[in-house]
Amino acid sequence: MKDTFARAENLLARIDQLAAISEDETGVTRTFGTPAFLRGSALVRSWFEQAGLATRVDSIGNVRGRLESRHPVAKTLVIASHIDTVVNAGKYDGPLGVLLGLDLLENLLAAKTGLPFHVELIAFSDEEGVRFHTTYLGSKVVAGSFDQTLLTKADAQGVTLTEALRTMGGDPAALAQDAIPADQWLGYFEAHIEQGPVLWENRIPVALVTAIAGQQRVELTWRGMAGHAGTVPMDMRQDALAGAAEFVLAVEQFGLRHKAELVATVGKLDVRGAASNVIPGDVVCSLDLRSADAACLGTAYEELRSLASQIAESRRLTLHWNPIQQTAPAVCDAHLNELLAQAIGEAGHAVVPLVSGAGHDAVPVSAVAPATMLFVRCYKGISHNPLENVELADVAAAIDVSDRFLHLLSTHYQTHHSA
Amino acid sequence: MKDTFARAENLLARIDQLAAISEDETGVTRTFGTPAFLRGSALVRSWFEQAGLATRVDSIGNVRGRLESRHPVAKTLVIASHIDTVVNAGKYDGPLGVLLGLDLLENLLAAKTGLPFHVELIAFSDEEGVRFHTTYLGSKVVAGSFDQTLLTKADAQGVTLTEALRTMGGDPAALAQDAIPADQWLGYFEAHIEQGPVLWENRIPVALVTAIAGQQRVELTWRGMAGHAGTVPMDMRQDALAGAAEFVLAVEQFGLRHKAELVATVGKLDVRGAASNVIPGDVVCSLDLRSADAACLGTAYEELRSLASQIAESRRLTLHWNPIQQTAPAVCDAHLNELLAQAIGEAGHAVVPLVSGAGHDAVPVSAVAPATMLFVRCYKGISHNPLENVELADVAAAIDVSDRFLHLLSTHYQTHHSA
């Protein structure tokens, strides 16, 4: 039996091999359905097959390998993450969870440890949504919530999703058959880099994810009166940038006051027709609000909307408040989380419950099955960037915790589900 | 004798004729030395000649017409403004002052009213500085402060100023001879649209300019740490936009506190690599400070610099403070302003002293000669824009005031300078 460090080294070597396959030479880019993506997918499939899993690529391009239990009527635990990337990505966002899952199953097979439930290891084909501007294509098919109207959606080159699927060897007509029926799910487990700084700053290798934050995105347009910076007196101005700046600070203050429940960000701010000698008359900015608590998210949205209106009114600006996107929070399963917390504790680590501010495949899955996630510390919290990195010891810790989690889940399943 | 309304109608008709000459068909664009500029200049020259002025085009392209006094040793009053424009300009910025000057001289000639001093009417060739990114080329030659090193400066097409002058028929070697020696100046008078909203808002046709504001321009770069808007907790952020927003509001507050002495504007603000789901790590903004009081301008500059440093320090941001431009205030001549104020009062208008926040040819001229300016109300203060407009009654008022000013100046000159 290899120790967890040797397994972690093997896992990281595979991540390097996969990361060498990219649309461009300098970074890691494998967006959904591209030739580089298909080469990466074929490599992952070959690893699944070599491990002895019953492997296939489904109609949306997910690589799926099954380890069947000896109990044919058993339920299925899905272990998964994604193998598509953003443009100029890091190596670990996605592949870490897939290849950690593969390592877990290889370890079980080597030890000839049977499980009382089936396991399906899935490398989702599209989580990032770069190509078709729609996230979770892969996991939505598996969760049975794929929106058929997306098939006519075109990418930047005008290729529709239907055409892209055919090029990949997928079958748009078979998408519904690739769902795992709700009654067959035992649960869902995904390991993923944190993509944030909490574990890094606190020097803790792994964390338990309690929820994936819901999100509200808004585009705000502030209109005042453009004017000459030299000739319009201070008290006759309708400065759209000053209004937007007041909002930026109000959002920050609101976020700090409610920092336990949410994050609030103005990431974009564009002064239209900007010049250093022109008083800004037209400013567009964004608002990104995230919280694990749907009620809190709704309240925050309304309060910030009201604050923005007050700012606009007091400054004689007009404000256009345009909601862009709204996703509900996804809560992880209490029972699976209890087992995962137990596994983390047994492995000797502090149990840190975290809310994921980034979206994950667990979002669509949690609508049909109990889901949990394990976060792994990454370098300074940096992600979606070539600087993305994880440490060997943290990967070993994640392997150790995941082994224990599978064991605890087996024991619990046998106690409660055995005939 | 025509009344001032008839004269104003004639003046506005000439402005329309000149505005019809443009580099593009839809707007008014006559930047220094272009074919459209030269056609416009030729039209103005023909009007000067028809009026009976001794007219020539000097080496920098200024159109200059002289009305000689019968006293050969008399000093020279320069009445001037500019005939170049910004891109997609209005009709009145510049031409109003030139053609009002022409109207004054035509009126004197029609009435056979001799003056005890010479008058030189000048249509400056470059005030806006669009083509060579340097303002006041025309008036600097007349004031004797032309910087010879500018001759090698190239425009966007790589044409140097020397080459441009030769194309226009000018002589770079003769520039120094076109200066009016300091001891020959009696003074300088320019009428110009306000380009700001004070007269419009207060329903007053004209104003007295007491000074042309000095200016400080700074580029500020704020650097924090870019991060994922979903995963970095509120209290672990180094948000460069929040820092810049605090500065925008600090500048506004500072400006409002000192609104009698200055204007302060952040006109540009650029979030580098902006995305709605990324905490801004890199923001560049501008600062434009203007005041008629050099000491006040210096204090404001230092106070805002210190404020910016405090904001950066308290937010763990780095700040780069890059001074871009600095021009000293130009103060109008107290005695000429007294006469102009008297003229405004005699014409029945409230005497409103204004500081010009925009630059004017009076800036270089005031370094060698007593200068004064008369502002004329323009529609909503809009300028550098096709919406620029002036009302007939206001032009008539400006003509009336200018007539009276010339008369008062004559009387005063005769009292003090006659042999």
Side-chain angles (χ1 to χ4, degrees):
Chain A
M1 288 289 293
K2 290 191 205 167
D3 67 19
T4 52
F5 273 79
R7 288 165 63 189
E9 274 176 1
N10 183 51
L11 197 167
L12 291 174
R14 278 177 171 162
I15 287 178
D16 285 344
Q17 260 187 280
L18 182 55
I21 302 172
S22 173
E23 291 165 35
D24 42 41
E25 286 198 4
T26 53
V28 182
T29 306
R30 288 190 316 276
T31 59
F32 178 67
T34 60
F37 171 87
L38 293 173
R39 291 200 305 278
S41 163
L43 178 62
V44 169
R45 179 181 186 158
S46 73
W47 286 332
F48 281 21
E49 284 169 346
Q50 284 159 30
L53 305 178
T55 304
R56 69 184 183 101
V57 175
D58 73 9
S59 54
I60 196 80
N62 297 322
V63 183
R64 302 170 68 156
R66 278 184 75 88
L67 181 63
E68 299 286 337
S69 165
R70 278 177 303 172
H71 307 280
V73 295
K75 296 201 172 192
T76 299
L77 173 72
V78 172
I79 302 177
S81 195
H82 61 97
I83 54 170
D84 69 316
T85 74
V86 294
V87 175
N88 202 26
K91 298 174 181 177
Y92 305 95
D93 173 4
L96 177 73
V98 174
L99 297 171
L100 186 138
L102 180 59
D103 172 82
L104 297 181
L105 300 191
E106 285 175 331
N107 189 58
L108 290 172
L109 286 162
K112 299 192 195 308
T113 309
L115 288 175
F117 45 77
H118 310 305
V119 178
E120 186 155 334
L121 176 63
I122 309 182
F124 291 126
S125 57
D126 179 87
E127 189 259 6
E128 302 287 2
V130 172
R131 183 168 173 192
F132 289 98
H133 299 285
T134 171
T135 51
Y136 313 135
L137 288 181
S139 51
K140 278 182 174 168
V141 165
V142 175
S145 56
F146 180 83
D147 176 359
Q148 296 285 330
T149 63
L150 294 176
L151 286 168
T152 55
K153 207 167 177 189
D155 68 8
Q157 274 68 50
V159 178
T160 63
L161 179 53
T162 292
E163 290 161 350
L165 289 183
R166 293 225 168 89
T167 304
M168 292 163 68
D171 177 6
L175 288 165
Q177 299 157 35
D178 283 324
I180 298 177
D183 60 358
Q184 291 180 21
W185 287 85
L186 168 60
Y188 176 87
F189 173 69
E190 178 173 1
H192 202 284
I193 58 169
E194 182 198 342
Q195 302 183 281
V198 179
L199 292 176
W200 176 265
E201 295 286 340
N202 292 289
R203 300 177 179 274
I204 295 171
V206 294
L208 175 72
V209 178
T210 55
I212 294 138
Q215 193 181 352
Q216 293 268 21
R217 276 197 202 174
V218 185
E219 186 187 73
L220 295 87
T221 305
W222 306 81
R223 290 225 171 77
M225 177 70 79
H228 192 299
T231 61
V232 185
M234 294 307 298
D235 53 4
M236 286 173 74
R237 296 181 172 204
Q238 290 163 267
D239 184 332
L241 177 58
E246 200 175 330
F247 182 70
V248 168
L249 294 179
V251 167
E252 186 192 43
Q253 286 305 313
F254 186 89
L256 284 167
R257 272 202 309 281
H258 300 90
K259 68 181 176 183
E261 300 100 52
L262 59 78
V263 284
T265 308
V266 177
K268 284 170 84 169
L269 190 151
D270 185 31
V271 184
R272 302 280 165 87
S276 64
N277 63 346
V278 175
I279 300 160
D282 192 352
V283 171
V284 179
C285 73
S286 63
L287 170 65
D288 180 311
L289 266 179
R290 303 191 195 205
S291 174
D293 180 333
C296 169
L297 193 62
T299 307
Y301 178 90
E302 291 305 333
E303 285 196 26
L304 287 173
R305 181 177 191 157
S306 155
L307 253 169
S309 294
Q310 285 164 33
I311 292 168
E313 199 178 336
S314 73
R315 290 178 168 277
R316 297 178 301 136
L317 305 173
T318 62
L319 171 67
H320 182 64
W321 175 275
N322 180 26
I324 297 286
Q325 191 188 322
Q326 180 178 5
T327 57
V331 179
C332 288
D333 181 68
H335 173 60
L336 289 182
N337 273 19
E338 207 173 283
L339 296 180
L340 188 53
Q342 194 181 333
I344 293 171
E346 283 178 6
H349 307 296
V351 177
V352 179
L354 277 187
V355 169
S356 173
H360 291 289
D361 289 303
V363 172
V365 171
S366 66
V368 290
T372 190
M373 287 187 74
L374 180 71
F375 269 174
V376 182
R377 169 167 56 180
C378 62
Y379 169 70
K380 291 191 174 180
I382 296 169
S383 183
H384 286 192
N385 189 306
L387 294 175
E388 199 174 271
N389 198 25
V390 294
E391 288 187 19
L392 180 71
D394 295 345
V395 176
I399 289 171
D400 183 20
V401 167
S402 301
D403 278 347
R404 292 172 191 273
F405 171 69
L406 280 187
H407 180 72
L408 289 167
L409 186 60
S410 292
T411 308
H412 181 271
Y413 186 84
Q414 276 171 320
T415 312
H416 292 81
H417 291 76
S418 51
Chain B
M1 288 289 293
K2 288 192 207 169
D3 67 19
T4 52
F5 272 79
R7 286 164 63 188
E9 273 176 3
N10 183 51
L11 197 167
L12 291 175
R14 278 176 171 163
I15 288 178
D16 286 343
Q17 259 186 282
L18 182 55
I21 301 172
S22 173
E23 291 165 37
D24 42 41
E25 286 198 4
T26 54
V28 182
T29 305
R30 286 190 317 274
T31 60
F32 178 67
T34 59
F37 171 87
L38 293 173
R39 290 200 306 279
S41 163
L43 178 62
V44 170
R45 179 181 186 158
S46 73
W47 286 331
F48 281 21
E49 285 170 344
Q50 284 159 30
L53 305 179
T55 303
R56 68 184 184 105
V57 174
D58 72 10
S59 54
I60 196 80
N62 296 323
V63 183
R64 301 169 70 156
R66 278 183 75 87
L67 181 61
E68 300 285 337
S69 164
R70 276 177 303 173
H71 307 281
V73 295
K75 296 201 170 189
T76 299
L77 173 72
V78 172
I79 302 177
S81 194
H82 60 98
I83 54 170
D84 69 317
T85 73
V86 295
V87 174
N88 202 25
K91 298 175 182 177
Y92 305 94
D93 173 4
L96 177 73
V98 173
L99 298 172
L100 185 136
L102 180 60
D103 172 83
L104 297 181
L105 300 190
E106 285 175 331
N107 189 57
L108 289 172
L109 288 161
K112 300 191 194 307
T113 309
L115 289 174
F117 44 78
H118 309 306
V119 178
E120 186 156 336
L121 176 63
I122 309 183
F124 290 126
S125 57
D126 178 88
E127 188 258 7
E128 302 287 3
V130 172
R131 183 167 173 192
F132 288 98
H133 298 286
T134 172
T135 50
Y136 312 136
L137 288 181
S139 50
K140 279 182 173 168
V141 165
V142 175
S145 56
F146 180 82
D147 176 359
Q148 296 285 331
T149 64
L150 294 177
L151 287 168
T152 56
K153 207 166 178 190
D155 68 7
Q157 273 69 48
V159 178
T160 64
L161 179 52
T162 291
E163 290 161 349
L165 288 183
R166 293 224 169 90
T167 304
M168 292 164 69
D171 177 6
L175 287 166
Q177 299 158 34
D178 283 324
I180 298 176
D183 60 359
Q184 291 180 21
W185 287 86
L186 167 62
Y188 176 87
F189 173 69
E190 178 173 1
H192 202 285
I193 57 168
E194 182 198 343
Q195 303 183 281
V198 178
L199 292 176
W200 175 265
E201 294 286 339
N202 292 290
R203 300 178 180 273
I204 295 171
V206 293
L208 175 71
V209 178
T210 55
I212 293 137
Q215 193 181 352
Q216 293 268 19
R217 276 196 201 175
V218 184
E219 186 187 73
L220 295 87
T221 305
W222 306 82
R223 288 225 171 77
M225 177 69 79
H228 191 299
T231 62
V232 185
M234 294 307 298
D235 52 4
M236 289 173 72
R237 298 181 171 201
Q238 290 165 265
D239 184 332
L241 177 58
E246 201 175 329
F247 182 70
V248 168
L249 293 179
V251 167
E252 186 192 43
Q253 285 306 313
F254 186 90
L256 284 167
R257 272 203 308 282
H258 301 89
K259 68 182 176 182
E261 300 100 51
L262 58 79
V263 285
T265 308
V266 177
K268 283 170 85 168
L269 190 151
D270 186 31
V271 183
R272 301 279 165 89
S276 64
N277 63 345
V278 176
I279 300 159
D282 192 353
V283 171
V284 179
C285 72
S286 63
L287 171 65
D288 180 312
L289 267 179
R290 304 193 194 203
S291 174
D293 180 332
C296 169
L297 192 62
T299 307
Y301 178 88
E302 291 306 332
E303 285 196 27
L304 286 173
R305 182 178 191 156
S306 155
L307 252 170
S309 295
Q310 286 165 32
I311 291 168
E313 198 177 336
S314 72
R315 290 179 168 275
R316 298 177 301 135
L317 304 173
T318 62
L319 171 66
H320 183 63
W321 176 274
N322 181 26
I324 298 287
Q325 191 189 323
Q326 180 178 4
T327 56
V331 179
C332 287
D333 181 68
H335 173 60
L336 289 184
N337 274 18
E338 207 174 282
L339 296 181
L340 188 55
Q342 194 180 333
I344 293 171
E346 284 177 6
H349 308 296
V351 178
V352 179
L354 276 188
V355 169
S356 174
H360 289 290
D361 289 303
V363 172
V365 171
S366 66
V368 290
T372 190
M373 286 187 73
L374 180 71
F375 268 175
V376 181
R377 169 166 58 179
C378 62
Y379 170 70
K380 291 191 174 181
I382 296 169
S383 183
H384 286 193
N385 189 306
L387 293 175
E388 200 175 270
N389 198 26
V390 295
E391 289 187 19
L392 180 72
D394 295 344
V395 176
I399 289 172
D400 182 20
V401 167
S402 302
D403 277 348
R404 292 171 191 273
F405 171 69
L406 279 188
H407 180 71
L408 289 167
L409 186 60
S410 292
T411 308
H412 181 270
Y413 187 84
Q414 276 172 320
T415 313
H416 292 81
H417 291 76
S418 51

